[in-house]
Amino acid sequence: MSYRRRFGKDNSACDSGNAVEGSASSEEANEASKSLDHEVAHLTKLRSRPHQHLRGVLPGKLRFPVSTLKMLMGREGNYSGRGRFSSADACHVLSRYLPINGPWGVDQLNSPAYVSQFSNDGLFFVAGFQGGHIRIYNVEKGWTVQKDILTKSLRWTITDTSLSPDQRFLAYASMSPIVHIVNAGSSTTESLANITEIHEALDFSVDYDEEFGIFSVKFSTDGRELVAGSSDASIHVYDLQANKVSLKIPAHTSDVNTVCFADETGHLIFSGSDDNLCKVWDRRCFITKGQAAGVLMGHLQGITFIDSRGDGRYLISNGKDQTTKLWDIRKMSSRNMYPRITDCDWDYRWMEYPAHARTSRHPLDQSLATYRDHSVLRTLIRCYFSPAYSTGQKYIYTGSSDHSVYIYDLVTGAQVAKLFHHDGPVRDCSWHPTYPMLVSSSWDGSIVRWEFPGDDQVPTLVKPRVRRRRAFY
């Protein structure tokens, strides 16, 4: 059954043997901690610090971090009065044990890995490669390939994939206005486009002569819509029930590299563009077509990725100015109040970032905090909040063009881990929603997992079998 027809009927820098604690390791990190908005720091601590009744376990003043042993003693003694850990207690324990052991090999292909993500429940993992392959792995069954998908009408590379909330359908995009839908839940293991299985084509072009590529595509929480960011500087919303584009917004003045829904309601959309701006769109109150609810300024170069905290308020973005920034949409402006700042002689796809630009600051920077050390070069590097369930979103993490994954403490800004293994840029990475496990995917064609504490196997170090000439966008 096609997706459309279904809805037509129904409305390493760390010691691997020890727990890791985030603490400011530089003057800049200390300054970031002091200046970080009090509310987001307070919310993070509420979600990842143990209950105050643990004072009964410790002599004198309660100090952090509280050891896991003392927390277990407190639970057994029922000091919280609930006889169990609160969600914050559990986050405090789990967030201390970062997924830094390994890596263990998951897969190796002969083409660069561009996108990779866990499903919402962590049972499946999806990876897309430039060679036109998408693989869905069953995490619970030893990372076996649940479905091997050979894509249709691929242009340049798989730019993005998105798994529907019910995990029945997978959307994939490339540098084309056509997004394809595959039945991810079918029994067909090898899905060859329109040979062994239908890959349904969704045309995002309003006019049939339009030509553009799609950089980012995401399902809505209810699975009834897809939102996409494209090379025609627009945001597109596709209604899967009506089988048509329901909204096209001329959102930016350059490529829209990333889009996402702000929360479960689907009313707010975040976008990021090569015009250096993040924008917020409220579909409930469009005054005029193309009018954003607000603009967030602070990056000096284009935005490569945006991740929402899921509360409709906070988001992070990666920029080609080699930074990740934290934002609060309540601090957004009604319009772009400052001209675009850019270095016309610099191209991130093949040039190093100018040394003089690293000390530059936007005169009207609206971000709450800035995180540095990783590099955003050659491709659209992605960044994320760590999981709410296991860490209380205490960390942010990002791939990097220096072949590594970086993990930062959200509040202090300190780099708490650097995972180095790959032989190419790490374009994407994904933290398991409930386990201390992180998977990184690289242009060297390898997919590897990092864990704490890890299984009893000796880590299998995956090396690329074939070196290929890199392609850029």
Side-chain angles (χ1 to χ4, degrees):
M1 180 183 297
S2 74
Y3 195 95
R4 181 173 70 232
R5 288 195 293 272
R6 173 175 173 250
F7 278 101
K9 295 179 181 179
D10 307 317
N11 283 345
S12 99
C14 307
D15 180 359
S16 62
N18 299 313
V20 179
E21 288 299 328
S23 59
S25 57
S26 68
E27 182 178 342
E28 185 172 338
N30 283 321
E31 289 302 315
S33 178
K34 293 176 184 176
S35 62
L36 186 59
D37 180 81
H38 173 74
E39 181 177 317
V40 69
H42 179 66
L43 290 173
T44 302
K45 290 175 182 177
L46 281 180
R47 298 180 67 173
S48 61
R49 278 199 169 183
H51 197 279
Q52 292 296 309
H53 287 166
L54 280 173
R55 291 183 186 276
V57 182
L58 303 173
K61 184 179 178 181
L62 178 62
R63 296 179 180 178
F64 294 97
V66 180
S67 73
T68 303
L69 177 60
K70 289 178 179 179
M71 290 187 68
L72 289 171
M73 291 169 55
R75 186 183 66 177
E76 294 301 313
N78 196 23
Y79 286 101
S80 67
R82 294 188 298 272
R84 58 181 175 81
F85 276 165
S86 67
S87 59
D89 292 338
C91 282
H92 180 74
V93 173
L94 290 173
S95 66
R96 296 180 61 205
Y97 301 94
L98 298 181
I100 59 173
N101 285 11
W104 284 261
V106 172
D107 207 350
Q108 174 74 63
L109 270 70
N110 292 330
S111 64
Y114 265 71
V115 290
S116 58
Q117 283 295 293
F118 280 105
S119 60
N120 290 336
D121 60 8
L123 295 179
F124 301 99
F125 184 81
V126 180
F129 299 82
Q130 187 180 33
H133 267 90
I134 301 172
R135 286 184 171 173
I136 303 177
Y137 305 89
N138 191 315
V139 178
E140 298 294 306
K141 294 184 178 179
W143 293 87
T144 57
V145 177
Q146 180 95 355
K147 199 175 192 71
D148 194 6
I149 301 168
L150 184 60
T151 61
K152 174 183 173 59
S153 303
L154 182 69
R155 290 188 184 177
W156 195 255
T157 183
I158 300 290
T159 54
D160 205 3
T161 61
S162 184
L163 198 60
S164 64
D166 61 6
Q167 301 179 174
R168 294 185 59 190
F169 298 93
L170 179 77
Y172 65 85
S174 68
M175 295 304 293
S176 158
I178 306 297
V179 170
H180 288 89
I181 297 282
V182 184
N183 189 341
S186 71
S187 59
T188 304
T189 302
E190 294 187 1
S191 179
L192 306 181
N194 299 337
I195 297 176
T196 63
E197 195 169 42
I198 296 297
H199 291 200
E200 189 170 5
L202 309 178
D203 191 349
F204 275 65
S205 60
V206 177
D207 301 319
Y208 289 104
D209 60 347
E210 287 184 299
E211 273 299 319
F212 55 84
I214 292 177
F215 290 108
S216 177
V217 64
K218 296 289 182 295
F219 272 100
S220 60
T221 304
D222 61 11
R224 296 176 182 272
E225 292 181 315
L226 286 168
V227 62
S230 62
S231 62
D232 65 348
S234 299
I235 298 171
H236 308 257
V237 178
Y238 197 99
D239 187 323
L240 292 163
Q241 288 182 292
N243 189 33
K244 65 178 183 180
V245 174
S246 60
L247 180 63
K248 178 181 177 180
I249 309 169
H252 291 267
T253 59
S254 190
D255 293 351
V256 180
N257 295 323
T258 175
V259 289
C260 67
F261 288 102
D263 55 22
E264 294 183 352
T265 66
H267 297 313
L268 292 179
I269 297 173
F270 297 148
S271 64
S273 166
D274 273 338
D275 63 11
N276 307 354
L277 299 175
C278 298
K279 291 188 177 182
V280 181
W281 307 88
D282 191 338
R283 297 197 288 167
R284 296 166 296 184
C285 55
F286 272 128
I287 301 173
T288 59
K289 189 175 183 181
Q291 182 67 47
V295 178
L296 294 165
M297 295 173 290
H299 280 293
L300 297 173
Q301 296 289 341
I303 315 302
T304 66
F305 197 73
I306 283 176
D307 186 41
S308 172
R309 193 167 181 262
D311 53 12
R313 182 172 296 171
Y314 296 102
L315 63 145
I316 56 172
S317 61
N318 251 1
K320 296 175 185 177
D321 57 3
Q322 314 304 296
T323 67
T324 299
K325 287 183 176 289
L326 172 69
W327 310 89
D328 181 346
I329 68 170
R330 293 170 298 179
K331 297 181 181 294
M332 64 189 178
S333 302
S334 58
R335 59 188 176 88
N336 181 12
M337 299 182 298
Y338 201 85
R340 179 178 177 183
I341 305 170
T342 188
D343 189 334
C344 297
D345 296 327
W346 179 73
D347 192 315
Y348 91 115
R349 291 173 294 178
W350 51 75
M351 300 172 69
E352 293 299 316
Y353 196 61
H356 68 85
R358 292 184 180 275
T359 58
S360 300
R361 297 293 184 272
H362 196 292
L364 296 176
D365 190 352
Q366 298 164 299
S367 64
L368 301 181
T370 299
Y371 309 84
R372 306 174 187 274
D373 283 341
H374 62 291
S375 56
V376 184
L377 298 168
R378 304 181 67 185
T379 186
L380 304 179
I381 303 291
R382 298 184 166 198
C383 61
Y384 302 93
F385 287 96
S386 64
Y389 176 85
S390 58
T391 71
Q393 296 178 309
K394 182 178 179 179
Y395 307 107
I396 62 172
Y397 63 103
T398 177
S400 178
S401 60
D402 68 359
H403 312 175
S404 305
V405 176
Y406 287 76
I407 304 175
Y408 300 100
D409 186 290
L410 174 70
V411 175
T412 69
Q415 180 196 129
V416 297
K418 178 182 177 181
L419 310 180
F420 179 79
H421 159 70
H422 293 283
D423 287 338
V426 178
R427 190 179 190 274
D428 209 353
C429 45
S430 186
W431 197 314
H432 192 283
T434 56
Y435 301 150
M437 176 195 298
L438 187 148
V439 176
S440 55
S441 55
S442 168
W443 272 14
D444 64 13
S446 66
I447 307 290
V448 302
R449 59 187 170 91
W450 309 79
E451 297 186 17
F452 190 99
D455 55 32
D456 294 331
Q457 303 173 11
V458 175
T460 303
L461 298 181
V462 178
K463 294 293 182 182
R465 295 192 296 267
V466 177
R467 302 292 296 176
R468 294 173 62 91
R469 182 176 179 268
R470 305 306 186 204
F472 307 105
Y473 77 80

